[in-house]
Amino acid sequence: DNRLGCYFCNDVVAPENSTRDRTLDQQCTVTRPGLAPVASAMAVELLVALLHHPLGADAPATQPLVGGKAATFSPGGPSSGDNGSASSPLGDVPHQIRGSLVSYTLMTPSVPAFGHCTGCSDEVAGLYRDRGFDFVQRCCDVDGPTYLEDVAGLTAFREEANAKLAEMEECDGWDDDEEESDDF
């Protein structure tokens, strides 16, 4: 699957309440009163740049410069070229913009879709198409995050990863109990 990832593709947990038991500076962007107008203005600028891009919704995401050239990741797969392929007449079209008010920085990551994403995986999208609001309501219930992780395959993914880590620890070839020798 060569499609670009959504906001949640970087997370290996289901989304939860980002306002509970957190101070205002640790809460999600949408709850930061001073940042909401900045975020909405950036969203408008991104949309307009995307609408003016020759490829429209298929515009590749701008990547950081590597060796003087920008690598781009598009729905057709990664490629390498100049910045022009990822630019619209209004400038670059980044895949995402993430910011930190703690350090007053912005970054523009571009990530491929994660197969077990709780936001856009085939399983989650399929259940949403089939069940609509009933699926959303189930995800918002008390066991919602666990249910969503199970549906997306995250639970099995983490179990498999933990099993492989345990296997690696068992066969790492090192025996800490052996006495070290000074002989070479």
Side-chain angles (χ1 to χ4, degrees):
D1 190 4
N2 286 325
R3 64 187 172 87
L4 291 169
C6 75
Y7 177 84
F8 297 103
C9 281
N10 291 320
D11 297 327
V12 288
V13 295
E16 295 183 21
N17 184 344
S18 66
T19 62
R20 183 180 299 146
D21 299 324
R22 293 186 185 182
T23 61
L24 186 60
D25 65 314
Q26 295 176 327
Q27 293 181 13
C28 179
T29 303
V30 295
T31 64
R32 304 287 297 262
L35 191 57
V38 173
S40 61
M42 291 183 88
V44 168
E45 291 296 325
L46 277 173
L47 177 61
V48 171
L50 184 65
L51 290 172
H52 284 269
H53 194 283
L55 298 176
D58 292 326
T62 305
Q63 295 289 309
L65 291 176
V66 178
K69 291 187 175 187
T72 58
F73 185 90
S74 66
S79 65
S80 183
D82 58 30
N83 260 340
S85 63
S87 292
S88 83
L90 298 176
D92 289 346
V93 183
H95 174 221
Q96 295 181 27
I97 299 176
R98 292 188 176 223
S100 170
L101 284 182
V102 174
S103 61
Y104 294 97
T105 57
L106 294 174
M107 63 178 200
T108 56
S110 177
V111 295
F114 176 47
H116 302 294
C117 177
T118 57
C120 71
S121 67
D122 291 339
E123 293 79 6
V124 171
L127 275 173
Y128 178 72
R129 271 191 302 278
D130 294 344
R131 299 184 186 165
F133 184 73
D134 289 338
F135 173 66
V136 174
Q137 190 171 18
R138 172 85 192 267
C139 292
C140 293
D141 286 342
V142 174
D143 68 335
T146 304
Y147 171 70
L148 191 55
E149 289 177 355
D150 291 344
V151 166
L154 268 179
T155 305
F157 178 78
R158 283 198 302 259
E159 287 171 358
E160 182 181 345
N162 287 334
K164 288 182 179 185
L165 283 172
E167 185 180 314
M168 285 175 47
E169 288 175 0
E170 289 174 8
C171 358
D172 67 2
W174 296 94
D175 189 356
D176 294 337
D177 295 334
E178 283 185 19
E179 228 177 273
E180 292 186 24
S181 171
D182 290 336
D183 298 334
F184 291 97

